[in-house]
Amino acid sequence: MRRTVKIVLIWLLLILNGSSLNAAETDPLSSWNEGASKKSIVDFVTKATGEGDPDFVKPEDRIATFDHDGTLWAEQPMYFQIMFAMDRVRAMAPKHPDWKNKQPFKAVLERDTKALAALGETGFLKIIALTHTGITTDQFSKFVADWIATARHPRFNRPYTELVYQPMLELLRYLRANGFKTFIVSGGGVEFMRVFTERVYGIPPEQVVGSSGVVKYQLQAGQKPVLIKEGKIEFVNDGPGKPVGINRFIGRRPVFAYGNSDGDQQMLEWTAAGSGASFMGLVHHTDAEREWAYDRKSSVGRLNKAWDEAVKRGWTVTNMKTEWKKVFAFEK
Amino acid sequence: MRRTVKIVLIWLLLILNGSSLNAAETDPLSSWNEGASKKSIVDFVTKATGEGDPDFVKPEDRIATFDHDGTLWAEQPMYFQIMFAMDRVRAMAPKHPDWKNKQPFKAVLERDTKALAALGETGFLKIIALTHTGITTDQFSKFVADWIATARHPRFNRPYTELVYQPMLELLRYLRANGFKTFIVSGGGVEFMRVFTERVYGIPPEQVVGSSGVVKYQLQAGQKPVLIKEGKIEFVNDGPGKPVGINRFIGRRPVFAYGNSDGDQQMLEWTAAGSGASFMGLVHHTDAEREWAYDRKSSVGRLNKAWDEAVKRGWTVTNMKTEWKKVFAFEK
């Protein structure tokens, strides 16, 4: 009997020892090179979760917010939601023969890159309005789900959801494993993102904050009630709208925020203005080979004022080229 | 050695046996009498969580929404948020000597019940606007926190947060223990409720949906940024606004919804219109002794059309007097 007990004990010790060795070997941020960003992330999380540490953050205050386009997934050659809207225009075109000679639809149907570039914001808003309204919320979700399952990114010929950044997926998991609640706070349409955020990022619909249009409840006799998406913008969750959206949807101030453009500056300012420790980060797109390189002069995801502010205030600026071992999971 | 092992084993069995006896004895809904409401709740939850059951609800779809005033806590003699606003008027009065002779403030300062009743919606909106705007979100939260900690209900002489319904606290816990995510969906102000919902109901701020005013981000040179509460109503989360609010904040359709008034009818309709099994319930205030009795003709929390609809469609209507063993935790 004694011998059996000893053997069992030794065996238990081996298992326990093995698993602790395993834990030490598995780096939760393995796609991040050892650099300034990784260090500042790990330092912050270590302090925030260290009981007795002056920078300890109570579990209920561990709110982390992430911009979406350009921070969690790519945003070139255009925001993916615009790519979706243009595909919708093409799908709807057979019922609208007049679009062949009418801008902005003509440019979309002919895939005329030059004309598309010239459309400007008004042209794109027209396309968004047309493809996002006059339908029920259920219909819209189905259009998005079908598109996300079948559409392919023009440069990489892969589903758009494969253009998510592997280091950021690891960061989201790392934060959650340390008791943080992760939120998306994006200028993109909230109903567009919610279709896939749970599956792709592990972020459920109610933890996604975004822009929205007016929606109206409609109940016709003998039918099931529906929510109709109307043609009026309700809320733009960008720039100074981000702290407003955070207040409205989350109701707590983040202690951790990551963005990539000037549209994220106010979210980072708001996070920095909290009473305790906080982390502010920006992704800098510097890798034209694996992804894209753009900053101060880009029309999509411009990083100019927020960059200056970050440098001035010592916020983390992540150089994608040097700090990310891997950008996309599909890279060899 | 063998004897020691045996003793330890017997001791373990006794503990395990004891705890399983305990579990059987502890009814999670012990403040509910055995009646139609309790039965329909338990039946629904049993089916929704029974794998292989045709009414099984996937864990990610277990969304439960509760109205607040009159469903989770009392709402008489007036909505508690109006009681808060009136106390704010009294606190602000020393700096506004002209209020003594100016309605609606005069009625509030003199606690003139008759004049107060005559104020109507316009008068109350004036009081709400004045006490809820022109300040930062942080200042407002502090006012609410101070009030909730010190103010007392006129009839029961207890903090307002003690006027929460014990059976509903048990129901919230019971649902969460069965994998449901619980949300508040109320016509009340979202920033008012969020101050105490986590402590009182175990519902964190981001799971509270409510009405809101416009809020503006402001950053003055050399100062910390603030969010200013402006005088414009942004969203009224009541009646047909409830499905809209649910869509906007939660992004999923509830499978379980409880309300108590006509303002909840559309939330229940929206819940009932889902593709799978669902539960719809209404609290009927029938107990003038322990709480209040009111329904079709009440100006606060009127239950008229929604009641007819509930009867017609077989939704659960909870008779507070006969179905609740205990209304408030402080009852003997």
Side-chain angles (χ1 to χ4, degrees):
Chain A
M1 185 69 186
R2 270 193 205 181
R3 226 189 122 215
T4 325
V5 170
K6 258 191 200 164
I7 288 170
V8 168
L9 275 176
I10 289 167
W11 176 72
L12 273 171
L13 279 170
L14 280 171
I15 291 175
L16 289 171
N17 200 32
S19 72
S20 84
L21 275 174
N22 263 338
E25 272 168 25
T26 314
D27 176 0
L29 300 175
S30 62
S31 298
W32 294 73
N33 283 316
E34 301 303 325
S37 294
K38 183 171 181 175
K39 188 179 181 315
S40 65
I41 291 167
V42 173
D43 282 356
F44 173 76
V45 171
T46 306
K47 288 191 284 180
T49 56
E51 269 195 75
D53 193 294
D55 286 337
F56 179 72
V57 179
K58 280 183 290 178
E60 65 266 32
D61 292 329
R62 292 186 199 154
I63 302 293
T65 56
F66 288 81
D67 170 58
H68 189 217
D69 300 304
T71 299
L72 294 181
W73 73 352
E75 59 183 351
Q76 299 286 2
M78 296 184 198
Y79 296 127
F80 295 174
Q81 192 174 353
I82 293 182
M83 306 295 271
F84 158 75
M86 295 200 297
D87 281 344
R88 284 292 313 145
V89 166
R90 291 178 198 118
M92 292 161 81
K95 287 192 179 168
H96 303 268
D98 56 312
W99 285 0
K100 274 183 200 154
N101 304 304
K102 206 168 147 188
Q103 290 297 15
F105 312 113
K106 189 170 181 285
V108 174
L109 296 176
E110 294 174 355
R111 294 175 193 268
D112 180 343
T113 333
K114 230 175 167 178
L116 277 174
L119 285 179
E121 205 176 316
T122 332
F124 284 119
L125 279 179
K126 225 176 188 168
I127 293 171
I128 293 276
L130 189 106
T131 53
H132 285 58
T133 64
I135 49 177
T136 71
T137 50
D138 282 350
Q139 286 169 325
F140 181 74
S141 296
K142 201 188 168 313
F143 287 148
V144 177
D146 289 348
W147 181 81
I148 215 88
T150 56
R152 303 220 148 207
H153 187 279
R155 174 174 160 190
F156 292 96
N157 194 30
R158 287 175 177 275
Y160 285 90
T161 48
E162 289 191 22
L163 271 78
V164 298
Y165 304 132
Q166 179 60 25
M168 293 311 245
L169 291 180
E170 293 169 9
L171 176 54
L172 288 170
R173 277 195 294 263
Y174 174 62
L175 288 170
R176 288 195 292 259
N178 281 284
F180 285 80
K181 215 161 185 173
T182 54
F183 292 80
I184 290 174
V185 177
S186 163
V190 70
E191 293 181 359
F192 176 77
M193 296 183 281
R194 281 173 172 167
V195 172
F196 54 85
T197 55
E198 180 134 41
R199 175 175 61 83
V200 174
Y201 304 111
I203 296 180
E206 69 272 17
Q207 286 167 222
V208 180
V209 182
S211 298
S212 53
V214 170
V215 156
K216 206 177 164 182
Y217 184 74
Q218 205 176 73
L219 177 55
Q220 286 171 333
Q223 300 203 329
K224 282 199 172 190
V226 289
L227 291 172
I228 303 280
K229 287 172 72 66
E230 302 204 319
K232 208 180 144 198
I233 290 173
E234 173 187 80
F235 177 58
V236 178
N237 188 55
D238 196 35
K242 289 206 173 186
V244 172
I246 286 169
N247 178 66
R248 176 191 292 190
F249 285 84
I250 307 178
R252 286 189 272 201
R253 191 193 298 261
V255 295
F256 189 106
Y258 236 114
N260 78 301
S261 77
D262 286 357
D264 300 311
Q265 183 171 342
Q266 287 81 2
M267 172 168 78
L268 269 52
E269 285 168 0
W270 183 243
T271 304
S275 58
S278 54
F279 174 98
M280 284 65 61
L282 285 168
V283 174
H284 185 193
H285 295 264
T286 51
D287 195 330
E289 262 180 57
R290 294 185 299 174
E291 206 244 4
W292 284 270
Y294 57 98
D295 44 51
R296 294 197 192 274
K297 285 171 187 168
S298 177
S299 62
V300 175
R302 175 173 303 171
L303 178 62
N304 184 31
K305 285 185 187 177
W307 189 4
D308 293 339
E309 186 76 7
V311 170
K312 205 174 85 187
R313 302 181 62 172
W315 297 344
T316 296
V317 180
T318 301
N319 184 326
M320 186 182 274
K321 190 170 182 173
T322 60
E323 301 206 73
W324 284 1
K325 216 173 278 180
K326 196 176 240 192
V327 176
F328 303 120
F330 59 74
E331 281 168 26
K332 271 164 211 160
Chain B
M1 186 72 188
R2 269 190 206 182
R3 225 186 125 218
T4 324
V5 171
K6 260 190 196 161
I7 289 169
V8 167
L9 275 175
I10 289 166
W11 178 71
L12 272 171
L13 278 169
L14 281 171
I15 290 175
L16 288 171
N17 200 33
S19 71
S20 85
L21 276 175
N22 261 337
E25 272 169 24
T26 314
D27 176 359
L29 300 175
S30 62
S31 298
W32 294 73
N33 283 316
E34 301 305 324
S37 294
K38 183 171 181 175
K39 187 179 181 318
S40 66
I41 291 168
V42 174
D43 282 356
F44 174 76
V45 171
T46 305
K47 288 192 281 179
T49 56
E51 269 194 77
D53 194 293
D55 286 337
F56 179 72
V57 179
K58 280 183 290 176
E60 65 266 33
D61 293 329
R62 293 186 200 155
I63 303 294
T65 56
F66 288 80
D67 170 57
H68 189 217
D69 299 304
T71 300
L72 295 181
W73 75 353
E75 58 183 351
Q76 298 285 2
M78 295 183 200
Y79 296 127
F80 295 174
Q81 192 173 354
I82 293 181
M83 307 295 270
F84 158 74
M86 294 200 298
D87 280 344
R88 284 292 312 144
V89 165
R90 290 175 200 123
M92 292 161 81
K95 287 191 179 169
H96 302 269
D98 55 312
W99 286 359
K100 274 181 201 153
N101 304 304
K102 205 168 147 187
Q103 290 295 18
F105 312 112
K106 189 171 181 285
V108 174
L109 295 176
E110 294 173 357
R111 295 176 193 264
D112 179 344
T113 332
K114 228 175 170 180
L116 275 174
L119 284 179
E121 205 176 317
T122 331
F124 283 120
L125 279 178
K126 225 177 189 170
I127 292 170
I128 292 277
L130 189 108
T131 53
H132 284 58
T133 65
I135 50 177
T136 70
T137 50
D138 283 349
Q139 285 169 327
F140 181 74
S141 297
K142 202 188 168 310
F143 288 147
V144 177
D146 290 348
W147 181 81
I148 215 88
T150 55
R152 303 219 150 208
H153 187 278
R155 173 172 162 193
F156 292 96
N157 193 29
R158 289 178 176 273
Y160 286 90
T161 48
E162 288 190 24
L163 271 79
V164 299
Y165 304 131
Q166 180 60 24
M168 292 313 243
L169 291 180
E170 292 169 10
L171 177 54
L172 288 170
R173 277 195 294 263
Y174 174 62
L175 288 171
R176 289 195 292 260
N178 280 283
F180 286 79
K181 216 161 184 171
T182 53
F183 291 80
I184 290 174
V185 176
S186 163
V190 70
E191 293 180 359
F192 176 78
M193 295 183 281
R194 281 173 172 167
V195 172
F196 53 86
T197 55
E198 179 133 40
R199 175 174 62 83
V200 174
Y201 304 111
I203 296 181
E206 68 272 16
Q207 285 166 224
V208 181
V209 182
S211 299
S212 54
V214 171
V215 156
K216 205 177 164 184
Y217 184 74
Q218 203 177 74
L219 177 56
Q220 285 172 333
Q223 300 203 327
K224 282 198 173 192
V226 290
L227 290 173
I228 304 279
K229 287 172 74 65
E230 302 204 319
K232 208 181 143 195
I233 289 173
E234 174 187 79
F235 177 58
V236 178
N237 189 56
D238 195 35
K242 288 206 173 185
V244 171
I246 286 169
N247 177 65
R248 178 192 289 191
F249 284 84
I250 307 178
R252 286 188 271 200
R253 191 194 297 260
V255 294
F256 188 106
Y258 236 114
N260 77 302
S261 78
D262 286 356
D264 299 312
Q265 183 172 341
Q266 288 81 2
M267 172 169 79
L268 269 52
E269 286 169 359
W270 183 242
T271 303
S275 57
S278 54
F279 174 97
M280 283 67 59
L282 286 168
V283 174
H284 186 193
H285 294 264
T286 50
D287 194 331
E289 262 180 58
R290 294 184 301 173
E291 207 244 6
W292 284 270
Y294 58 98
D295 44 52
R296 294 196 192 274
K297 284 172 186 168
S298 177
S299 62
V300 175
R302 174 173 304 172
L303 177 63
N304 184 29
K305 286 186 188 175
W307 189 5
D308 294 339
E309 186 78 6
V311 170
K312 204 175 86 186
R313 301 182 63 173
W315 298 343
T316 297
V317 180
T318 301
N319 184 327
M320 186 183 273
K321 191 169 181 172
T322 61
E323 300 206 74
W324 285 1
K325 214 173 280 179
K326 194 175 241 191
V327 176
F328 303 120
F330 58 76
E331 282 168 27
K332 271 165 213 160

